[in-house]
Amino acid sequence: MGQDGILQPIGNRLALGHDVSRTFSLPLLAAFYPFLSASIPAKKGLSMTKDEILLAQKEFLFPAVFNYFKDPLVVSHAKDQYVFDIDGNQYLDFFGGIVTVSVGHCNDQINAKVHAQIDKLEHVSTVFVNEPQVALAQKLAQITPQQALRKSFFTNSGTEANETAILAARCYTGSTEIIALRHAYHGRSAGTMSLTGQSTWKLGPPQAGVVHAVNAYCYRCPFGLEYPSCEVKCAQDIEQVIRTTTSGRVAGFIAEPIQGVGGFITPPKEYFKIVTDIVRKYGGIFIADEVQTAWGRTGSKWFGIEHWDVVPDIITSAKGLGNGMPIGVTIARPEIADAMKGVTISTFGGNPVVTTAAKAVIDYIEEQNLLRNTEETGAYLRGRLIDLKDKYQLIGDVRGMGLLQALELVEDRRTKVPATAATLRMMEAARENRIMIGRGGLYGNVIRLSPPMNIGRADVDEFIERLDASFAKVEAAMLAGSQRT
Ligand code: PMP
């Protein structure tokens, strides 16, 4: 399995110990890789053909670098809400490079500022002061909830942002123990894999000092209860977790406001207030991992956690902040940032080109009033998805906020058996219908949608039409299959 979908097994690796772009026999290769078509000329400035790219990928990358689809989609270029493959097909992108292309591919306004900066100052490292990094940090301090989180530390990824947050929590509290949630995803370092709550993503030995509480997964309540009569038992249970599985003094609680890789699992409105009060009572701080939910994605607010009326102590983010440029950020209350005594450095963190891009993204979101767009267009998308749920039994749950919406697919609405195979078929059908969607969830049965935040209703209509056609195809195939057996 892959992080955001299924791993397509690599099978027998070819021992091409030479330049694949010049010498290989297509018929021979086609025997190994039936999806390879006749060699297709390079597109848009690419110097390799599709087949050469696919072969080089298999030969020279770790097989852990998984791809969607049996016949992997080789991307050539992209613009705004559209992605083009090397065969010249155009896709309407409703996944945004895994919740990352926040304001459209190769956005002209952002890229003009990036081009200007790259010609002016490309790198200097944080041991020399530079304006783009400081300007971004200042802007972030203005938009955090109640302007309470005022100091930033920049890195290159969400993983590093979370590592920094955990370190800061431990320095500030003097405690080491962290509470994380089941079904969470927090990164790929040893520490953040330990925080992660899905076996697929825990590759190495776990680090000590992390316990996992049950998450607020109302569709599959871990206590078998119904909201609201459950009185949000999953939140109340955190007190028992602290008292029975920790020393009773914790460094903090880390959670995604909406669990992203987990399948856009969205807690009820009381959840974070209850949990935060408990965690603070036992000396801990609250870290909101907003790698997927920040920057207006959830509609009307800059940060997802604002929908729960809680001010966290640290926010971490990455992905959408750079619209594709690699950036991670840990934003903390000043006293927590100040508690990280000593010195630390991230060579590329705060890079002037990347921070220029990030500041440009925030300015663009403001200028284009995208917080309103994610709320309004998100509500429209949600309505159209609910209509599809009425039409297709396969859809068990529609959830999310703003332009972060998911469909959980089940074989039977009563038993809720995860429809993992059907979800894979949906991925292929969606590709045939030229839309890009994501996959997630512990069982790989959740379709994740996170289009660029500047799309409009016409894009939603086009997308729904194609998604509808994809569901129709999958349901028809399933029906034909069940009639045969
Ligand atoms: N936290 C969350 C919520 C994420 O979704 C991810 C990435 N999927 C990460 C952390 C890790 O980010 P990165 O891949 O940039 O290290």
Side-chain angles (χ1 to χ4, degrees), residues 352-380:
V353 178
V354 174
T355 46
T356 294
K359 172 78 165 42
V361 167
I362 292 180
D363 291 344
Y364 185 88
I365 292 169
E366 251 173 3
E367 284 160 26
Q368 304 288 324
N369 206 356
L370 295 188
L371 299 192
R372 179 179 301 165
N373 190 53
T374 49
E375 184 179 25
E376 291 177 358
T377 308
Y380 183 66

Side-chain angles (χ1 to χ4, degrees), residues 3 157-159 162 185-187 256 261 289 291-292 319:
Q3 169 189 329
S157 65
T159 297
N162 285 333
Y185 184 88
H186 293 297
E256 304 151 86
V261 178
D289 176 343
V291 168
Q292 300 208 7
K319 288 193 186 275

Side-chain angles (χ1 to χ4, degrees), residues 215-227 230 233-234 416:
N215 62 339
Y217 196 172
C218 295
Y219 185 63
R220 299 179 187 276
C221 175
F223 295 109
L225 301 172
E226 288 274 334
Y227 176 80
C230 64
K233 185 169 164 57
C234 54
K416 299 184 181 173

